[in-house]
């Protein structure tokens, strides 16, 4: 198992996707959702996350509950 932070993007996207689904029921998860979005934005900006992987995730349809336009 690698400690490379670039490997965290898909894990964060998966958690964000899960929280978006659950957030339709429970709005107190909004701060956590915003934290995930902030981490992903910063990781993309400082190149900790691979932009190609992010684009692949956006186009894959797997994360259907994420509004990628806010990231």
């Amino acid at each position: 198992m690698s400690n490379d932070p670039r490997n965290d993007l898909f894990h964060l996207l998966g958690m964000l996707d899960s929280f978006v689904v659950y957030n339709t029921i429970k709005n107190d998860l909004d701060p956590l959702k915003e934290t995930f979005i902030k981490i992903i934005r910063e990781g993309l900006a400082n190149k900790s996350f691979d932009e190609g992987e992010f684009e692949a995730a956006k186009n894959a349809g797997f994360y259907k509950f994420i509004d990628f336009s806010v990231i």
Side-chain angles (χ1 to χ4, degrees):
M1 187 153 185
S2 173
N3 289 330
D4 189 343
R6 291 176 292 183
N7 296 332
D8 295 339
L9 175 61
F10 292 122
H11 298 292
L12 286 168
L13 289 171
M15 288 185 279
L16 180 58
D17 190 57
S18 297
F19 281 112
V20 170
V21 171
Y22 186 71
N23 204 39
T24 60
I25 300 168
K26 194 163 178 75
N27 286 330
D28 63 345
L29 292 175
D30 281 339
L32 187 56
K33 175 181 145 189
E34 293 304 317
T35 300
F36 284 141
I37 290 170
K38 180 182 176 200
I39 291 168
I40 293 168
R41 276 186 196 146
E42 290 174 356
L44 290 168
N46 69 21
K47 307 290 188 217
S48 293
F49 297 143
D50 184 271
E51 183 73 31
E53 287 183 351
F54 181 72
E55 291 299 319
K58 283 184 0 182
N59 295 320
F62 182 77
Y63 305 104
K64 59 186 173 188
F65 298 107
I66 295 177
D67 180 4
F68 283 95
S69 67
V70 299
I71 300 176

